[in-house]
Amino acid sequence: MPSYSELRKTNHFYYFIKFTLNIYSMLFSLVGLCVLCVGVYAEVERQKNRTLEGLFLAPAVVLILLGLVMFTVSVVGMVGSLRDNKTLLHMFLCVLCVLLLLQAIALTTALIFEKKTSALFQSSIREGIKHYYDDLDFKNILDYVQQKFSCCGGDEYKDWGVNQYHFCNGTGPLACGVPYTCCVRRKVGEVINTLCGYQTLDQQRETLHEVIHVRGCIHAVNLWMSDNIGITIALCCAVGLPQLLGIILSCVFWNLLVDMSESADMVDFKLKKAEIDYSELDLAGAGWCMCLPRDGGYLPVPASEPELDPIDIHLEKLKKQPPRTHAQLRELQQSRSATGLDEVDVGRKQKREH
């Protein structure tokens, strides 16, 4: 089995890394474009009743930013791998490294400063609860989280007191209550009582365990992640490993292009330095992208070989002749002495006559 240093010099290795990176970038650019389109559509719908300004409270804005970054970075990597452009590949590599580093720093910071992170999420959720009935995106997300994780509010169920329809000084049917998504389900598929959380905000936690979920969603999600550590690690790997794969592929391909550029046998390498125009090159086999390698390179070959000196011609003939015996060499020397000219002199005489 060939070593890595020998394998990376082959065209098969070049093709494999090139098109693997190209397919990787193309897939992520398509995913980023889909995320961007969904975010734009959600933002257009959200603008009709725009109330929330916080980053955590605007899923459409998050989707737009995520899709834009994914699409832009992936297109840079796709074009760089397709055109063997070292500048674009280096940019793609640096951006991926920075993004992965920022995510690692954010995760580490959130774990170290857990209380401050929880307070940040709590204030954001309380702000969203104020406009719960005005922003359908946030309402649907919070309803899903409350039902999925059996929780209510951000820090606790009393967070719902900040909503104008739920605070205890109100006069409506929802006053001093919580949404039905906070209620405890006794049977699967039972008819939902939308007023099951009526008059619960002014009661103590001990008396509400059979009626609503009193634990806040921030604590419920943290508890779920602690109890399902395997799934939590898998989710982190699902986010980080694809980015790490892109970093490895782009790093290998960029180093490969650097080595290949030193040999000056590619279409795009050192043509400006050699003052060679593309019109002078025989690009057969370069492919539609004009970037595929070919044994021997694409540098132009002179149309006609320069005229050789008679001495060089004589030496070439001697190389092609079989070895001569001593008797043959003696006869050749005698014939040259008789004519007074050797083969080189004869060649030079003929050249002067022409």
Side-chain angles (χ1 to χ4, degrees):
M1 184 176 180
S3 61
Y4 175 74
S5 58
E6 297 176 352
L7 184 64
R8 70 192 305 269
K9 296 179 181 179
T10 62
N11 283 346
H12 295 291
F13 183 80
Y14 166 83
Y15 287 136
F16 175 77
I17 298 297
K18 177 186 180 74
F19 291 113
T20 301
L21 181 58
N22 188 257
I23 294 173
Y24 168 90
S25 302
M26 182 178 62
L27 290 177
F28 272 87
S29 64
L30 293 177
V31 173
L33 184 61
C34 293
V35 174
L36 179 61
C37 292
V38 172
V40 170
Y41 173 77
E43 178 63 16
V44 171
E45 293 295 321
R46 194 177 73 92
Q47 288 293 333
K48 297 178 181 179
N49 296 294
R50 185 173 183 178
T51 54
L52 305 182
E53 303 295 338
L55 180 61
F56 295 107
L57 308 178
V61 176
V62 176
L63 290 177
I64 290 176
L65 293 177
L66 178 62
L68 189 62
V69 170
M70 289 182 62
F71 179 74
T72 305
V73 174
S74 299
V75 167
V76 170
M78 182 173 60
V79 175
S81 62
L82 187 64
R83 291 293 303 148
D84 291 355
N85 191 303
K86 293 185 292 182
T87 303
L88 291 179
L89 282 174
H90 193 252
M91 184 186 304
F92 177 68
L93 174 62
C94 291
V95 171
L96 282 183
C97 290
V98 170
L99 290 177
L100 187 60
L101 182 62
L102 289 178
Q103 294 171 47
I105 292 175
L107 180 60
T108 304
T109 304
L111 294 176
I112 295 175
F113 304 100
E114 184 178 357
K115 292 184 178 180
K116 292 185 178 181
T117 305
S118 298
L120 176 62
F121 276 103
Q122 181 182 350
S123 62
S124 299
I125 294 175
R126 285 174 66 90
E127 183 66 25
I129 289 176
K130 288 182 181 180
H131 309 284
Y132 174 76
Y133 293 102
D134 300 322
D135 194 292
L136 294 179
D137 288 338
F138 180 80
K139 180 180 183 298
N140 292 332
I141 292 175
L142 186 57
D143 285 343
Y144 172 79
V145 172
Q146 290 184 150
Q147 290 178 318
K148 177 68 176 179
F149 296 97
S150 300
C151 57
C152 188
D155 186 54
E156 61 173 353
Y157 70 101
K158 290 188 177 182
D159 289 342
W160 283 100
V162 300
N163 186 276
Q164 59 179 338
Y165 298 101
H166 289 277
F167 65 84
C168 293
N169 292 332
T171 57
L174 300 177
C176 214
V178 295
Y180 70 92
T181 53
C182 290
C183 296
V184 176
R185 300 284 183 87
R186 294 180 174 82
K187 296 180 181 179
V188 178
E190 67 177 348
V191 178
I192 299 175
N193 179 12
T194 56
L195 296 177
C196 58
Y198 179 71
Q199 295 293 327
T200 54
L201 290 181
D202 58 352
Q203 299 183 36
Q204 297 299 319
R205 299 170 62 97
E206 293 79 8
T207 61
L208 298 175
H209 285 291
E210 299 296 329
V211 181
I212 64 172
H213 302 292
V214 295
R215 179 190 294 127
C217 290
I218 295 177
H219 306 292
V221 172
N222 288 336
L223 183 62
W224 181 88
M225 293 175 65
S226 300
D227 294 339
N228 299 272
I229 189 65
I231 299 178
T232 303
I233 295 176
L235 291 175
C236 294
C237 292
V239 175
L241 286 182
Q243 299 176 67
L244 184 61
L245 176 62
I247 291 174
I248 295 174
L249 288 174
S250 57
C251 183
V252 172
F253 193 53
W254 184 77
N255 287 320
L256 184 63
L257 293 181
V258 170
D259 293 340
M260 294 175 68
S261 65
E262 297 175 356
S263 62
D265 64 348
M266 298 288 289
V267 173
D268 290 337
F269 290 144
K270 297 189 177 180
L271 292 182
K272 291 184 178 180
K273 183 181 293 186
E275 297 181 355
I276 298 172
D277 296 329
Y278 278 99
S279 59
E280 301 177 10
L281 300 177
D282 177 17
L283 299 178
W288 66 271
C289 65
M290 309 296 290
C291 58
L292 303 181
R294 185 177 70 179
D295 294 336
Y298 293 93
L299 297 181
V301 179
S304 59
E305 295 184 357
E307 186 176 359
L308 298 177
D309 189 87
I311 296 178
D312 297 329
I313 298 176
H314 179 65
L315 292 176
E316 291 294 332
K317 289 182 180 180
L318 291 178
K319 291 180 180 179
K320 297 178 181 179
Q321 291 178 358
R324 296 177 179 178
T325 61
H326 291 287
Q328 292 174 337
L329 292 174
R330 194 178 301 110
E331 293 177 1
L332 179 62
Q333 186 176 7
Q334 291 176 357
S335 63
R336 288 177 178 177
S337 300
T339 58
L341 295 173
D342 58 11
E343 293 181 7
V344 175
D345 293 332
V346 172
R348 289 178 175 173
K349 182 179 179 181
Q350 292 177 352
K351 183 177 180 181
R352 284 195 297 269
E353 291 177 354
H354 288 296

